[in-house]
Amino acid sequence: MRRGGAVLAALTIVTGGAVAGASGAGAVSTGSAAGQLDEMWQNLLRPCHDTSAQFPDLGPCYRNGFSDFGMLGNYKGAYSGVKEVDPGANATFTAVVVAQEAAFQVAAPEVNVDVTSVTHHAPKGFQFVRVRVTGETPTPTPPWPVVDLDSTATVDPVTGDVTVTAPDGGWALQPGRNGNMFAGGAVVLVFEYKAPDVALDGTNGFTFTGTGVPASDGWVASGNTRVLPAGGMGSTGSAGS
């Protein structure tokens, strides 16, 4: 297992299907050319507002967030979150587990393809507020049906990691189609936290368990989130904003 994607740039501009990125310090200029360019775009462009994971804002807009993904067995883990957040503000992080076609190619048809738990490692000092778990099954034409799923969340008192567990039998994932192509079902977890009141910089990520999923030797996908110094230029707490 190893992450297959790098942290995306803070700025995403989509024009005619082309995607351009410019990394930088976001709300606080580092004095470098990249940092100044990033701050300029942040001042010029409106924040991105995604309707849903299926329908992201195509811009041009400024995206205060990162994105990463990795593979664990026959499942893909996609992860996104806020890059910068104000002290004491709420921030969201989204973990998505998608079953690849090979996950359904099991010898016994009665074997379910499911996810049994997801563990999220929050940035240092962040306080867990809530999590929403939904399931999606791709259909030939959008929008895909989305259903709320039952879950139980437990916070590790030592690490602060949040483990969300499915009911007995797991969250079942169904095969589907995106247009004419195969597309596996997914479980989507949106974690909400309150940022600490002090400026901190910390890594975060997630891993998961499920049918035929090998043990993880680390986080399947990860990112980095920085709490801005008090009194600095404001930033939102959503990667889609």
Side-chain angles (χ1 to χ4, degrees), residues 51-224:
T51 303
S52 68
Q54 300 176 32
F55 301 100
D57 191 331
L58 298 181
C61 60
Y62 184 88
R63 187 174 298 280
N64 172 35
F66 61 79
S67 180
D68 190 26
F69 73 90
M71 295 294 300
L72 197 56
N74 294 319
Y75 298 79
K76 178 179 179 179
Y79 182 58
S80 61
V82 64
K83 182 179 177 181
E84 295 179 338
V85 62
D86 291 324
N90 281 17
T92 57
F93 303 88
T94 302
V96 182
V97 182
V98 183
Q100 305 298 288
E101 188 169 9
F104 297 95
Q105 297 172 347
V106 293
E110 68 274 10
V111 176
N112 291 328
V113 173
D114 55 45
V115 175
T116 53
S117 71
V118 171
T119 298
H120 183 245
H121 176 66
K124 182 179 179 181
F126 279 60
Q127 181 180 354
F128 176 67
V129 176
R130 64 177 65 88
V131 62
R132 183 189 180 195
V133 185
T134 58
E136 299 181 358
T137 300
T139 57
T141 57
W144 299 348
V146 177
V147 296
D148 287 303
L149 301 176
D150 293 332
S151 64
T152 302
T154 304
V155 181
D156 188 304
V158 177
T159 64
D161 293 348
V162 178
T163 296
V164 184
T165 305
D168 291 343
W171 298 305
L173 304 182
Q174 305 296 329
R177 301 198 71 81
N178 183 3
N180 294 324
M181 299 180 61
F182 172 89
V187 58
V188 180
L189 294 90
V190 179
F191 295 85
E192 183 178 345
Y193 291 84
K194 182 180 179 181
D197 294 326
V198 296
L200 291 174
D201 189 303
T203 58
N204 48 90
F206 87 105
T207 188
F208 56 91
T209 62
T211 303
V213 176
S216 172
D217 59 359
W219 306 115
V220 176
S222 64
N224 191 84

